Amino acid sequence: MTDSLNGLLTSLGQALEERSGSQPMWAAKAPGRVNLIGDHTDYSQGFALPMGINLYTLAVAAPSATGDNSIRILSTREGEAKLQLNGPDPRTGDWTDYLRGVLSQYRQRNLHVPAMDIVIGGNLPLGAGLSSSASLELCFATLIELASNHALPAMERALLCQQAEHDYAGVPCGILDQFAVTFAEENQAMLLDCRKHSIRSVRIPPQLVVAIVDSGVSHALADGGYATRRTEVEAAEIQLGKSLRDAHTQDLLKLSDETIKARARHVISENDRVLTFAAALSNDEIENAGQLMYASHESLSRDFDVSCPELDTLVDAARQAGAIGARMTGGGFGGSMLAFVTIGEEAAFERIISYRFSDAGFGVAQVRWVKAVAGAQAWNWT
């Protein structure tokens, strides 16, 4: 674990001791994720290629000091919350719904969850399209399982957190985020088959580094845009009588509504791009992989309409800066751009990105350099 993460955990432990009078007994961490290619394909049984990143949600916990049957939570970024272990715990419409949904899933499985005091923090930015919600869910889930001394199979845990997001956060997400945060590997991306729930490791070429640039537009997938896109994809599947994973370009001729056709065109072409991209990385065909990333962004912006001027400006700037490839990443409606940059060209990339973004009137572009890391885990503090 890096010195910076150790420092964050130490500060969370101190906050827990000040709040509850107890020293930490358990700790957990869960990475964010960046999707290299393959967005809005997971809920149509398609393909995606994400990786875990070294930006984390962290939590420390101790048995409850109050004796009441609840979980008291302090988030250093979001505030305080209290989750009931008995009786109803309805949705509140805020960040705590991700936690309430996870807890509800364990209660439905009759898992005895102990009363706890928890402090949550981390360095994963919120609303930047890096799956802070799934990171929070998996951090909490692994912590619950450690404290309860009952570990679920990783697949079940990931699907549990996906269902929690459906039921409590109101986001009808596919499996991409929860699987990426659960099954991430160090120095590897993963080719995810969302129908078979299978994963194959894909090596990140050592001559490339990964940049994430925050657009500054905080996305909120629960506000309806994400659900609308999923409904449009499902409408295309109903009209075609099959999953878009099984559809081909010629099937688009059967769709009369231009919006539905455009949404389907993105998903069909994106699935093809994911598989070609994975093969390109495996064969060190770096330039080909990069062009697929640019094509993916164009499709997300034009056909799926989930980009924004800030993201489009960042991708254009990345191309000007000589990035091998760049695209928006995540559900869209704001969030971040991802770019592959050749080692040694980081400073020039940052300089051009910063100038172009500021010159367009969008303020300061925050560039983060990330690497692929392992998935969520929990451990005993001592």
Side-chain angles (χ1 to χ4, degrees), residues 108-269:
Q108 290 177 35
R109 288 163 172 77
N110 296 316
L111 182 70
H112 174 69
V113 181
M116 291 183 280
D117 290 305
I118 302 175
V119 176
I120 296 173
N123 58 1
L124 177 62
L126 308 179
L130 303 178
S131 200
S132 58
S133 57
S135 178
L136 176 63
E137 291 158 5
L138 267 302
C139 184
F140 188 45
T142 54
L143 188 68
I144 283 176
E145 292 183 19
L146 178 63
S148 304
N149 195 29
H150 185 91
L152 296 179
M155 182 80 69
E156 183 177 353
R157 185 184 311 119
L159 293 171
L160 176 156
C161 289
Q162 179 201 20
Q163 191 62 47
E165 191 149 342
H166 288 187
D167 294 345
Y168 269 71
V171 179
C173 60
I175 66 171
L176 168 61
D177 292 352
Q178 287 79 15
F179 271 55
V181 175
T182 299
F183 295 107
E185 296 181 71
E186 189 172 355
N187 299 322
Q188 304 283 333
M190 65 174 76
L191 175 59
L192 173 61
D193 183 328
C194 299
R195 171 177 287 166
K196 297 179 180 179
H197 290 181
S198 65
I199 293 167
R200 176 168 66 83
S201 297
V202 178
R203 180 181 65 96
I204 304 297
Q207 64 268 46
L208 298 180
V209 287
V210 177
I212 295 174
V213 188
D214 194 337
S215 70
V217 180
S218 180
H219 74 171
L221 298 186
D223 67 0
Y226 186 97
T228 298
R229 295 301 180 278
R230 178 160 186 166
T231 298
E232 291 165 344
V233 167
E234 290 170 348
E237 293 180 323
I238 290 170
Q239 292 177 43
L240 294 177
K242 57 185 173 183
S243 167
L244 290 184
R245 173 189 170 124
D246 302 317
H248 303 281
T249 303
Q250 57 266 33
D251 289 316
L252 296 171
L253 298 173
K254 303 172 186 177
L255 301 174
S256 57
D257 183 276
E258 290 301 319
T259 297
I260 300 301
K261 182 183 295 186
R263 306 301 187 246
R265 182 166 50 240
H266 164 71
V267 175
I268 293 169
S269 62

Side-chain angles (χ1 to χ4, degrees), residues 338-353:
L338 150 84
F340 270 173
V341 179
T342 304
I343 287 178
E345 298 182 2
E346 296 93 332
F349 175 85
E350 286 199 35
R351 183 174 62 253
I352 293 172
I353 287 288

